[in-house]
Amino acid sequence: MDRRFLLTGIVGLGAMGFAEDAFAKLSNADAQAGLRAALKQGADTAVTHLSQTNGYWGDPQIRIPLPKSLASAQKLLKPLGQSGLLDDLHLRMNRAAENAAPVARGLFVNAIQTLTINDAVGIIRGGNTAGTLYLQKKTTPALTAAFTPPMENAMQASGAVDYFDRAIKRNNLKSYFQTDAKTYLGQYATGLALQGLFIFVGREETAIRRDPAKRTTQILKSVFG
């Protein structure tokens, strides 16, 4: 593919962090390698951060909330000093997500390695999180399948499922749920855990595009400098 075609997606997009004159000096292979490096760095940072204690819980933007019905009960019970069960469940759900986060690393690497020149053109023409959207499209089905069992198991092992059952019974909320506690919590928490994961990857991608300090390798400096 002619590099001039690649560059048509860059014109007028200086705010994205691409320097057109610098990018024009790169081969298609180097441009492709730079985009892969950026996505890998963003993904690695996200997985490493989110798998730490308080990776999810400590970030209000990606912290997994309780299901709406339980969150409402929690809000009503907190002023009465009776929300302890629900407060603990809330924390345990996020701890489970932190425990499951490392599963994403290998799937991200595989998706990044399959990035083509055509994919690169789409990412260049996109916004500050176009690469993240590429990863999300490529990996969500596999991530959901891979995340759900460890998420369910982590919540079971952490006591979240038992706490959920007890909270439902204590607050007379059984009619709100159509599946067993383990399945419901697994599906609910997996969806929000993945949402939070991609939010974090998107932050990192945006930072790499905008902040020179985030370009920690020569290929990143060459592509985004």
Side-chain angles (χ1 to χ4, degrees):
M1 179 180 293
D2 192 328
R3 193 183 311 118
R4 288 174 298 177
F5 176 66
L6 252 155
L7 287 172
T8 61
I10 304 173
V11 176
L13 296 180
M16 292 172 57
F18 288 98
E20 183 175 345
D21 56 345
F23 196 89
K25 299 175 184 178
L26 297 173
S27 68
N28 285 342
D30 284 343
Q32 187 181 42
L35 290 170
R36 285 177 175 170
L39 289 176
K40 185 177 186 301
Q41 180 173 311
D44 280 345
T45 301
V47 172
T48 298
H49 177 84
L50 293 178
S51 61
Q52 296 176 349
T53 300
N54 291 329
Y56 275 88
W57 181 253
D59 188 331
Q61 188 179 6
I62 63 174
R63 182 186 302 142
I64 300 172
L66 285 173
K68 188 174 180 180
S69 54
L70 294 184
S72 297
Q74 182 188 40
K75 185 176 181 180
L76 291 172
L77 293 170
K78 190 175 288 290
L80 304 176
Q82 298 178 10
S83 64
L85 188 67
L86 294 170
D87 294 340
D88 198 31
L89 170 59
H90 192 188
L91 175 62
R92 287 169 184 261
M93 288 178 62
N94 284 271
R95 290 287 184 257
E98 292 159 6
N99 290 336
V103 174
R105 194 183 304 274
L107 292 170
F108 281 157
V109 169
N110 290 340
I112 291 166
Q113 290 305 313
T114 65
L115 185 145
T116 67
I117 290 296
N118 285 334
D119 294 326
V121 171
I123 292 170
I124 291 167
R125 287 176 169 171
N128 283 330
T129 58
T132 301
L133 293 175
Y134 164 83
L135 278 183
Q136 189 169 15
K137 180 180 178 180
K138 288 285 187 177
T139 64
T140 290
L143 275 173
T144 300
F147 234 69
T148 300
M151 181 67 77
E152 289 180 346
N153 292 337
M155 285 191 291
Q156 183 79 64
S158 72
V161 172
D162 290 338
Y163 272 87
F164 186 72
D165 272 331
R166 290 167 58 191
I168 289 174
K169 292 174 183 177
R170 181 174 177 178
N171 295 287
N172 298 316
L173 297 170
K174 189 174 181 179
S175 62
Y176 286 91
F177 304 97
Q178 304 301 315
T179 61
D180 63 277
K182 184 177 181 179
T183 301
Y184 176 82
L185 280 178
Q187 294 173 346
Y188 172 83
T190 294
L192 290 178
L194 296 183
Q195 178 179 301
L197 178 63
F198 287 115
I199 287 173
F200 201 100
V201 174
R203 290 178 187 169
E204 290 300 307
E205 181 187 358
T206 299
I208 290 168
R209 291 178 185 265
R210 294 180 174 178
D211 183 0
K214 284 283 188 177
R215 301 165 200 158
T216 56
T217 65
Q218 187 56 49
I219 190 65
L220 287 177
K221 292 173 183 177
S222 297
V223 174
F224 296 96

